[in-house]
């Protein structure tokens, strides 16, 4: 069996080092090269002592690989990814630089003009539950945002069936690791421990990709979505609670609830990493695993659909999903290296 | 100056002992009697070592007092409160037993037939920001639920002006102390630490009081409210995020935002315990204080009103508000004993 | 390759369910039977939703297995283990019932007369770093206590060389999961979050096994050990700080520090699950892994040896070490199923 | 009654802002001036929204005050304090710059030559339990370090009686706020949440002041003290566990324990802010209060004294003690403004 050689551009953020952890344990690829800026020249296990058994040195340039992950920040990632593609290297980009199909959205949401609009057409949005076939043959996969993953997987089955109106509310609660490893008062322990707060009320950058993907499922119903992210005092995990008026003839009663549940079970019946739960899910039940737990129900008093999803923001919300995409791109079984059961308690 | 004598029925839950803490420091009342069941006979400071400087013994029966707080669980509280009222003692009831005006709601929401429907008329819902005048002369005040306090204070100014449609979504995130001191796997440290979850999706008991109070503000617009509470891993604090379609001619732009903000500033301009903030508030900024922080804004993309509120669930959400009610009932300045600034960080 | 069938007696505590998680992912054994009391009749994944992909039903009696783990509480475990041994089933006992060689210690420390003192001779103390050879042929292995594992691995190299006097102080800081899944105010979230406390000052039950094992390493120097455990607000992990007067001719300077470090590196050079670190270790670097991190140093001002160790109390401190023992008992490579890298952050 | 005017140099760290919180609620002083560097020009309540009811602007220079607190970092504080003293302003210095009597210790422990050795003689070490009389007349009080406060109060009664040998071990566990508000990976939420670690094993800067003060109590017995601080995942609180060989004829039994306890009760009998507890204390019982809880006991197996203390590191360990010193210096009742009961849970 041929072992694929893979590399990570910018291993020193939380998504990057989580990729390193998962790839170190992947039986069919070999992590042969990692890059970083401030830490270049150091051993990977010196900077991240939990990565045991690795001899890798953090370099400034990526070595010879078949596939690369870019864990660069947005705007900077495209400049790293485009040359890799030209060298014939497949890329999974963790950043947002290739997620939006409409290049005009980049100035609006990210404050820069996209350097390669044509690459946006080539890129595939890396949510395997929606785009598995295209990912399999893609050379460039844009790994979804963490919030986007939780929100889209929560709403997709209902949106596709036309069962929800266009007035969805998405209220997400994220652990602090989602804010990254860069120092900030917003992630300073004494500031965020024992605290909850909402942020990005003027519009979070994951919103346009959520709208883009839901609109693909139901083009005639342009989404009017409100998305508010919150930070809560835990390290990993995103709980997303979605609210939408129920349309399309589903009754607001126990029977309707069973119908909705069946629609979700059908939609996700062959998905290895999505489970429709029988009761409200816990983020703890996803810690360290690539699972997304989804729980649809109906507020029978008001006729609203409520769907709750849970993911580990660094696994299904970032590095795990990136490896799921890699598996598809390399022709490996989709679940390889991602079988770990969540750590509880 | 005459010192009022007050007592606490069932001091051993978190609301009860928080009352004891705050009353111990109140300059114009004396806490002279506390009751408890399993702990009867012990000194208060033996059961709760943080209550320093108290000589109180926990008794089974309440002594001679001018005003009593009942921190009994719902259904059991009425049986304690009614005899106290007959003895001429004023009562602030922390439980839900006198919050709902419609006695028929008790079988539906609490599973019991109310023992004294006539007392429901006499009782005043103890949210001073809405019912200050009636509280001043009340003999029985029903202290609001913790979630209800945060939700009603977030929505009241907009509802009163008829600015929100009837499709409000209330998404609350509560610290674990809100689940009480009774042992349960749901409050077992290793289960809830590093976890977030939604609960009571079939309908939380604080919903009928939220609807009751908002309908009082805007009777012609019956509320269709969805309320989903969540538990997040912190001890104290409730963050409530409310979403509602904006109606009534407010523009979905910066100007509309300023109008809404002014409406909130006007509504709460004389309130000692509500502050309209200029940015999304943090629960940490209410820890140990009786403040409710309220932040109204508009999702200009969708024309929705978003209002966020923060309280300490054991202070403004329970014991602090009960003392605010007591101050009004006893003719004391409303803020007496409640001036503590939040503890940060 | 023959697959060994294994079972778990009392799967419903944290050690039991952690065994189930790790065994579910073990490539060379099959978990075929689990028992529980209050949960008997339910599916394992109904009680513990994170254990995905299992069809096991929790039974009252253990089925046909080659090797069983008992995760029963002490005193009750012996009654389960002894009949299993008679049936020819190998046993790893997570409880304390076979850890102490001296039967007289059981009335003193555990309050019961041991039912089978002769079995204590047969049992092997399951710390592979000290007793690997005997474990390989054992029919009954007594899995060490969580604190004992961290403390003995911290002190063993120095004690064996006679380098520490008999005045060791062991100060341990444990996450709350170490206190088990049984409900108690001591593990109630709001009580222990944002709190630190010492307990068992009159003598913790892990002390006699620590003394027993250290005395085996240095019989002429009876241990005078003080051990104080503390609970700190995290779920998993034990940090143990050991202090001992340095004897045996090691200088209290940088050179002595290097000597001590070399002694530790030599002692653990072939150990797959002990790493001597170059700086003070973090419990986070062991989360979910079977590693014990050990850091020896010298307080050069006072001539004291300080050794710090970190483990995940549920892995190397319980279920992981039990599987390490199982691997040895079944002739499997010692690290099989235990290769997971710690989850960070 | 004359109101004293006080000010804070460098209000923007955690000790500074905690001073602001406590002084805002102090009935007999008025906080009239605060300084800060990066935040100069802003309103205090803009930078710290929990400080409600203040109109103060953060300035670069201190205004006209009777007494000033310096919350500058060490080395920088002396340069601020010396001119204030020359202006006739009394000073409580939160930094370490005047804590050590021996100027030679500054190059050794802090890496700088002390700019005003003569001021070290004038300065009084601000632990009222040991130096109350001198504080009363002092113009410059050096507020003790947080660890030092917990350790000295734990050991002082035994050391003074000559009951402990010189081999004390001090093992402290601190909440993260003790590491300050300056950004660092060591205080980044995702790094320290669910983590415990030891640090400063080469010698923490609070050690020389601990030795200085204990030696004053028992000069003929030079202290050989090992001190190891740990960071644990909570915001506030220090738990200190001290171990020392018991000497001086106290028996290592229950009777000896009672004797030791009586010695502690006697030593602290008139102290308003030290309580000798009857069981191992919890840091939670000091949250937000100026109390130090002390629990002495004996390890009867080994004849060692164990003393545990708890403080809130930002109150008795910093700002609260500073105000206690201020009260003494200004001739106010010592407990004024410091009566708040701990917040629980």
């Amino acid at each position: 069996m041929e072992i694929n050689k893979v590399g990570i551009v910018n291993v020193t953020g939380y998504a990057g080092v989580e990729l390193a952890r998962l790839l170190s344990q992947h039986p069919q690829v070999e992590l042969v090269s990692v890059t970083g800026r401030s830490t270049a020249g150091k051993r990977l296990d010196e900077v991240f002592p939990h990565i045991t058994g690795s001899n890798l040195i953090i370099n400034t340039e990526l070595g010879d690989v078949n596939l690369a992950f870019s864990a660069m920040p947005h705007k900077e990632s495209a400049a790293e990814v485009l040359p890799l593609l030209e060298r014939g290297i497949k890329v999974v980009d963790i950043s947002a630089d290739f997620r939006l199909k409409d290049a005009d959205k980049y100035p609006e949401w990210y404050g820069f003009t996209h350097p390669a609009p044509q690459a946006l057409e080539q890129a595939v949005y890396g949510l395997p539950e929606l785009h598995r076939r295209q990912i399999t043959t893609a050379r460039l996969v844009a790994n979804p945002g963490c919030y986007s993953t939780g929100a889209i997987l929560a709403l997709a089955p209902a949106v596709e069936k036309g069962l929800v109106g266009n007035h969805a509310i998405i209220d997400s609660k994220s652990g602090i690791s989602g804010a990254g490893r860069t120092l900030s008062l917003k992630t300073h322990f004494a500031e965020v421990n024992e605290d909850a707060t909402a942020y990005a009320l003027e519009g979070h950058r994951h919103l346009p990709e959520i709208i883009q993907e839901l609109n693909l499922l139901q083009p005639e119903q342009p989404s009017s979505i409100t998305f508010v992210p919150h930070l809560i005092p835990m390290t990993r995990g995103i709980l997303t609670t979605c609210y939408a008026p129920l349309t399309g003839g589903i009754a607001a009663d126990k029977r309707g609830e069973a119908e909705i549940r069946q629609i979700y079970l059908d939609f996700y019946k062959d998905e290895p990493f999505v489970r429709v739960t029988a009761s409200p899910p816990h983020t703890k039940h996803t810690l360290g695993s690539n699972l997304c737990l989804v729980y649809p129900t109906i507020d029978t008093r008001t006729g609203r659909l409520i769907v709750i999803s849970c993911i580990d923001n660094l696994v299904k919300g970032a590095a795990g999903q990136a490896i799921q995409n890699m598996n598809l791109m390399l022709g490996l079984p989709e679940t390889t290296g991602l079988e770990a059961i969540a750590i509880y308690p």
Side-chain angles (χ1 to χ4, degrees), chain A residues 98-345:
Chain A
F98 299 96
R99 291 183 197 153
L100 303 179
K101 292 297 167 196
D102 180 354
D104 292 346
K105 297 287 187 195
Y106 283 93
E108 179 187 348
W109 287 93
Y110 288 93
F112 69 93
T113 302
H114 200 280
Q118 72 292 356
L120 296 178
E121 291 167 38
Q122 178 193 348
V124 179
Y125 191 78
L127 197 65
E129 291 77 7
L130 297 186
H131 303 295
R132 180 170 287 110
R133 201 175 43 75
Q134 300 98 302
I135 293 166
T136 307
T137 58
R139 303 200 59 75
L140 172 57
V141 166
N143 212 56
C146 53
Y147 287 120
S148 318
T149 298
I152 298 167
L153 291 177
L155 288 171
V159 167
E160 192 210 32
K161 289 275 184 193
L163 297 180
V164 299
N166 59 0
H167 291 292
I169 308 282
I170 300 169
D171 184 297
S172 291
K173 299 91 179 159
S174 176
I176 310 295
S177 68
R181 199 162 179 255
T182 304
L183 301 181
S184 159
L185 258 190
K186 288 172 186 167
T187 51
H188 195 62
F189 184 88
E191 301 286 321
V192 292
N193 187 40
E194 292 294 294
D195 186 42
T197 193
Y199 70 105
L201 285 151
E202 67 290 351
H204 187 280
R205 285 165 168 164
H206 289 176
L207 178 57
E209 47 179 296
I210 295 170
I211 292 175
Q212 166 183 292
E213 294 299 310
L214 294 181
N215 279 356
L216 280 175
L217 290 166
Q218 195 61 256
E220 69 276 18
Q221 205 175 41
S223 298
S224 165
I225 290 177
T226 293
F227 166 50
V228 178
H230 301 74
L231 285 182
I232 62 174
M234 60 187 196
T235 301
R236 289 179 177 228
I238 295 179
L239 183 93
T240 297
T241 315
C242 304
Y243 306 88
L246 194 56
T247 59
I250 301 277
D253 56 16
K254 286 286 155 198
R255 203 165 40 94
E257 226 170 78
E259 278 181 68
I260 287 281
R261 184 172 165 75
Q262 192 56 50
I263 287 165
Y264 273 71
L265 286 168
D266 291 347
F267 192 93
Y268 289 126
K269 69 173 185 297
D270 296 324
E271 289 303 331
F273 293 119
V274 182
R275 292 183 62 210
V276 180
T277 64
S279 57
H282 293 253
T283 59
K284 189 181 277 287
H285 294 156
T286 66
L287 181 75
S289 104
N290 199 47
L291 277 185
C292 176
L293 307 178
V294 179
Y295 176 73
T297 189
I298 293 174
D299 178 0
T300 56
R301 281 182 195 81
T302 62
R304 290 198 185 94
L305 177 74
I306 301 174
V307 191
I308 299 169
S309 72
C310 289
I311 57 170
D312 181 324
N313 57 302
L314 293 179
V315 188
K316 184 63 176 172
Q321 184 148 266
I323 291 172
Q324 189 180 354
N325 284 317
M326 175 199 78
N327 286 339
L328 291 168
M329 295 165 81
L330 296 178
L332 302 172
E334 188 169 344
T335 60
T336 313
L338 297 170
E339 300 91 345
I341 292 176
I343 290 191
Y344 156 95

